[in-house]
Amino acid sequence: MNDLVRQHTALSDTDLEWLHLLVSEWQLLSDLSFADLVLWVPTRDGTRYVSVAQMRPNTGPTSYHDDMVGHLVPRGRRPLLDAALDEGRIVREGDPEWREEVPVRVESIPVRREGRVLGVIGRNTNLLTVRTPSRLELTYLQSASDLAQMIAAGSFPFPGQQVDMDASPRVGDGLMRLDADGLVQYASPNALSAYHRLGLASDLVGHHLGRATAELAPSRGPVDEALVKLASGYAPRETEVEGSGGVIQLRAIPLKPKGTRIGSLVLCRDVTELRRRERELITKDATIREIHHRVKNNLQTVAALLRLQSRRMDSDQGREALNEAVRRVGSIAIVHETLSQNLDERVEFDEIADRVLAMVAEISPGKVTCRRTGRFGILDAEVATPLSMVLTEILQNALEHAFVQGEQGTVEVSALRGGTPAEARLLITVLDDGCGLPEGFDAQRTGNLGLQIVRTLVEGELGGTFDMVPGRERGTRVVLDIPVRPQK
């Protein structure tokens, strides 16, 4: 809509915002009218109309099987649009149009803002399935007429009341029509069922909706008065009411077709099962985070026990083996600590990589600098855990074997996300400027326990490739190529 309005019309940005606000609300008008809506805006030169938005009803058959957005119509071809734009009134005159052997009633509703008519809504009703109207349909049509008059007068939609139609109640969820005193004139079967689930034992018609709703909700002191006023439809508001048997969502829409409030529409939706599932998900998420937190604590306890045991070892070789185990356990604990703070099973691995670098740097025999370049990005937990161990082993191996005691050097870890959206990959390079690899070294066949762990995790769990080759000038370069899920 933005592109069409800016390309073809002279409307300002504030006018465009008003049209966006209208379009966010007009599903309500379409459903109450059982009609398609098309928003027509006059072009900059005033010789044509351009259709910038379209809405089909959920309550009846459509009149337009084709998409109308972007169509240009010369002025004069549709007299009802001309009359609504020029005279600023709702135009209903004329016989039904025939479209593909389907009779369609056409009406035009001017869209007014601050006294100016910005465009015209074409309301098109498919008459092929018209039947004897019931009380529900008559209430719908009367409410649609009131809303149409409010649009023509510039009092609907309500400024500052942007509505999320995916989350708000819709006409079919449940509708109640109130008079100016807040008494229920009509309640749809779905609305009545929702209130019965909330705990209502009688009918709603003739009762004051605000007081009836407050009686069904738990007592909350002064808030009850606000609930009474909201449910009575005095102002455009949304709220949720929880009773002993369920939860309903309410949306109040004051009706002021001639400037004075004559009543209101209250849409309601039974969200009991939705809220129950949300609470279950919250509980599940909290449980998962607590499990990660406890695993982290247990791993830290294991690391502390291994550290104590290493201090009692007389053998330098045994002490070093236990210290390596401490670092391996610590790298896994870092991942679980990060997962315990997240709402899902995905982590920002850059933070984990930096902590692994700091942890492994503590064993540096000399003045070796460790740094990271590039971004690992967000990774799944099943990738992050083995990757943290792999990174620990590679760094530990570099710091132990690439430099002699007291020697200065650098170990750099670089990460690069690449590949296609369908097959994203993570390329990791660990480069040191140490003494390099011994002659005849083959990373796929030789190596200590740490390199065996790296090969197993990279090729087995991560499904990637691992290679260790001499650096371009000196030192050693380790390259990991791992498939990952694309970031969102």
Side-chain angles (χ1 to χ4, degrees):
M1 185 167 73
N2 288 354
D3 294 339
L4 289 171
V5 169
R6 288 169 179 152
Q7 178 183 354
H8 295 285
T9 78
L11 296 182
S12 65
D13 288 342
T14 52
D15 293 334
L16 181 57
E17 289 177 11
W18 182 262
L19 295 184
H20 275 293
L21 188 60
L22 172 66
V23 169
S24 73
E25 292 270 28
W26 71 345
Q27 180 73 65
L28 176 64
L29 177 63
S30 178
D31 290 344
L32 290 172
S33 304
F34 308 98
D36 291 75
L37 305 179
V38 178
L39 178 57
W40 298 93
V41 180
T43 57
R44 190 174 287 104
D45 58 9
T47 61
R48 295 179 296 176
Y49 299 95
V50 58
S51 57
V52 298
Q54 179 179 2
M55 178 59 65
R56 293 183 173 89
N58 294 318
T59 52
T62 182
S63 302
Y64 287 112
H65 294 284
D66 298 327
D67 188 3
M68 294 297 297
V69 176
H71 282 214
L72 291 165
V73 174
R75 184 177 172 87
R77 180 176 295 180
R78 300 195 177 185
L80 297 187
L81 294 181
D82 297 339
L85 182 68
D86 296 339
E87 302 173 22
R89 65 179 180 88
I90 299 175
V91 182
R92 297 188 176 93
E93 299 87 356
D95 297 327
E97 296 181 2
W98 288 84
R99 300 175 188 162
E100 299 180 358
E101 300 183 354
V102 175
V104 177
R105 181 173 63 242
V106 180
E107 304 166 88
S108 295
I109 305 167
V111 177
R112 192 183 303 272
R113 174 182 175 268
E114 296 181 352
R116 295 184 302 112
V117 178
L118 307 182
V120 179
I121 294 176
R123 181 163 57 177
N124 303 266
T125 307
N126 187 325
L127 300 177
L128 195 61
T129 58
V130 171
R131 58 186 184 275
T132 303
S134 64
R135 180 73 187 280
L136 180 144
E137 289 171 323
L138 290 173
T139 303
Y140 276 22
L141 293 173
Q142 179 58 52
S143 302
S145 177
D146 294 334
L147 284 178
Q149 292 182 58
M150 291 170 64
I151 292 173
S155 58
F156 186 84
F158 304 108
Q161 292 290 321
Q162 188 79 29
V163 176
D164 182 1
M165 291 306 299
D166 292 332
S168 294
R170 299 196 177 206
V171 170
D173 295 326
L175 176 142
M176 293 165 284
R177 171 106 184 192
L178 314 184
D179 64 13
D181 296 323
L183 300 179
V184 180
Q185 295 178 312
Y186 174 78
S188 71
N190 284 346
L192 195 57
S193 297
Y195 266 80
H196 284 166
R197 185 163 189 177
L198 201 63
L200 181 71
S202 61
D203 196 0
L204 276 172
V205 176
H207 290 77
H208 190 279
L209 183 64
R211 288 194 287 270
T213 303
E215 290 173 359
L216 295 172
S219 178
R220 294 175 291 176
V223 181
D224 286 346
E225 291 300 322
L227 180 60
V228 169
K229 190 170 183 179
L230 187 149
S232 301
Y234 287 98
R237 294 288 186 274
E238 288 192 33
T239 190
E240 283 191 7
V241 180
E242 184 170 0
S244 57
V247 184
I248 63 172
Q249 186 179 13
L250 297 177
R251 182 189 175 197
I253 303 168
L255 296 176
K256 303 176 181 179
K258 296 182 180 180
T260 303
R261 193 176 72 87
I262 63 170
S264 57
L265 285 180
V266 177
L267 305 180
C268 69
R269 178 186 178 195
D270 185 352
V271 292
T272 305
E273 294 303 316
L274 179 62
R275 296 296 175 260
R276 181 185 62 80
R277 289 194 295 270
E278 287 178 351
R279 284 193 288 267
E280 288 178 352
L281 288 174
I282 292 173
T283 302
K284 179 183 176 182
D285 289 340
T287 301
I288 291 173
R289 290 199 299 271
E290 178 64 20
I291 289 172
H292 284 302
H293 181 70
R294 294 189 182 187
V295 169
K296 182 264 297 184
N297 288 343
N298 291 339
L299 289 172
Q300 289 179 337
T301 301
V302 170
L305 292 174
L306 290 173
R307 197 175 293 111
L308 286 173
Q309 186 66 38
S310 71
R311 293 171 184 169
R312 295 175 177 268
M313 295 287 293
D314 296 329
S315 168
D316 292 340
Q317 186 176 3
R319 187 181 303 110
E320 182 57 31
L322 288 177
N323 288 334
E324 288 183 2
V326 167
R327 287 187 286 273
R328 288 165 184 151
V329 172
S331 65
I332 303 174
I334 290 173
V335 177
H336 282 282
E337 181 179 4
T338 305
L339 288 169
S340 69
Q341 301 168 0
N342 290 350
L343 295 177
D344 56 16
E345 290 292 290
R346 308 194 78 191
V347 296
E348 179 63 61
F349 195 80
D350 295 305
E351 178 185 351
I352 294 175
D354 291 340
R355 294 181 61 180
V356 168
L357 277 169
M359 178 183 68
V360 177
E362 295 176 358
I363 69 167
S364 172
K367 299 178 181 180
V368 179
T369 302
C370 297
R371 64 170 179 258
R372 171 180 64 87
T373 60
R375 291 192 67 251
F376 287 85
I378 298 174
L379 299 178
D380 293 333
E382 56 264 28
V383 174
T385 301
L387 183 56
S388 68
M389 288 193 65
V390 167
L391 198 57
T392 300
E393 296 297 336
I394 294 174
L395 291 170
Q396 186 171 286
N397 186 75
L399 293 173
E400 286 184 353
H401 301 292
F403 306 97
V404 298
Q405 184 72 32
E407 184 182 7
Q408 292 186 350
T410 302
V411 177
E412 180 177 316
V413 178
S414 65
L416 177 66
R417 299 289 285 248
T420 64
E423 187 180 351
R425 303 192 72 83
L426 176 62
L427 182 65
I428 305 168
T429 304
V430 181
L431 180 64
D432 68 68
D433 55 2
C435 61
L437 296 172
E439 187 174 349
F441 180 84
D442 184 356
Q444 303 302 324
R445 296 187 178 183
T446 60
N448 54 23
L449 174 62
L451 292 182
Q452 294 176 21
I453 292 174
V454 170
R455 283 197 299 269
T456 301
L457 291 177
V458 172
E459 297 172 1
E461 287 198 35
L462 297 175
T465 61
F466 158 72
D467 198 10
M468 179 181 285
V469 297
R472 290 186 176 87
E473 297 181 359
R474 58 174 298 186
T476 305
R477 184 161 58 99
V478 180
V479 181
L480 306 175
D481 188 359
I482 300 169
V484 294
R485 196 169 78 174
Q487 298 185 82
K488 294 182 179 179

